[in-house]
Amino acid sequence: MERWGCVGGKFVHMRYASHILNLTVREGLKENDKSIKRIRNGLRFVRSSPVRLQKFKNCVNQEQIESKRHLCLDVETRWNSTYMMLEYASIFRKAFDLIETSYGGKFNEELTKSNGIPTDDDWDRVASLLSFLKIFYDATLRLSGSLYVTSNVYLQELVTIG
């Protein structure tokens, strides 16, 4: 016996809808690729050793940033992890600005070798990007469910995004 929402005992969901959103957002992120790479680079520097991480934590304390979130690196092929990385990093923006002075020039020297230092323009670009990405992030979470029906929310999500 088949009920509405079930086919062969499995829930009907829009399996490819979140994949299409993923491809769309990844393409859009390419426009801000340099800014994202510089911020990712700063995170890698800070997270690359316990000493650097501790100096960064000291900067966080000095700037009186209170957050239970931690710096996380993204998986570059998964835009939603890039969103999370940027969201968390933006909380600690002032600490990133301060780390250069507390690390004796090593931060700038090291980052200049690769993609460069995150600039104010990079941080501003990412800040404006985050509210846009949040819409897609939330829609992806709602559409990628496999334990509940998503076919009935697909159109609503597209309208919300548009």
Side-chain angles (χ1 to χ4, degrees), residues 54-71:
Q54 185 55 51
K55 286 190 182 216
F56 184 77
K57 286 179 182 178
N58 293 342
C59 293
V60 169
N61 291 335
Q62 189 174 341
E63 288 293 329
Q64 299 178 347
I65 300 169
E66 293 190 28
S67 177
K68 295 188 185 277
R69 304 231 170 139
H70 300 284
L71 296 177

Side-chain angles (χ1 to χ4, degrees), residues 57-160:
K57 286 179 182 178
N58 293 342
C59 293
V60 169
N61 291 335
Q62 189 174 341
E63 288 293 329
Q64 299 178 347
I65 300 169
E66 293 190 28
S67 177
K68 295 188 185 277
R69 304 231 170 139
H70 300 284
L71 296 177
C72 62
L73 284 171
D74 64 336
V75 176
E76 294 180 38
T77 57
R78 299 190 55 99
W79 76 266
N80 54 341
S81 72
T82 302
Y83 164 72
M84 298 301 290
M85 175 191 73
L86 295 173
E87 182 183 38
Y88 292 4
S90 67
I91 294 168
F92 300 104
R93 177 180 178 173
K94 289 183 179 181
F96 277 102
D97 292 341
L98 186 61
I99 195 160
E100 173 56 25
T101 56
S102 71
Y103 214 85
K106 189 81 171 164
F107 184 70
N108 284 357
E109 179 185 320
E110 194 73 29
L111 296 185
T112 303
K113 292 177 187 174
S114 53
N115 291 312
I117 303 152
T119 64
D120 286 338
D121 187 44
D122 294 331
W123 288 109
D124 293 342
R125 216 177 253 159
V126 162
S128 64
L129 188 63
L130 285 175
S131 59
F132 178 71
L133 288 176
K134 174 110 173 86
I135 295 166
F136 284 92
Y137 181 78
D138 291 343
T140 300
L141 288 179
R142 287 188 290 270
L143 289 173
S144 62
S146 60
L147 299 177
Y148 53 88
V149 176
T150 59
S151 58
N152 62 326
V153 296
Y154 177 71
L155 183 59
Q156 178 66 36
E157 290 300 329
L158 287 181
V159 170
T160 302

Side-chain angles (χ1 to χ4, degrees), residues 27-45:
E27 189 64 30
L29 283 174
K30 289 179 183 177
E31 289 185 29
N32 294 292
D33 198 41
K34 288 182 182 181
S35 295
I36 293 169
K37 282 182 179 179
R38 285 192 281 262
I39 291 172
R40 183 183 296 123
N41 208 26
L43 286 164
R44 281 191 182 132
F45 175 86

Side-chain angles (χ1 to χ4, degrees), residues 11-27:
F11 290 111
V12 176
H13 62 281
M14 302 297 291
R15 186 179 322 233
Y16 296 103
S18 53
H19 179 67
I20 291 167
L21 284 177
N22 180 30
L23 295 174
T24 304
V25 174
R26 283 182 51 202
E27 189 64 30

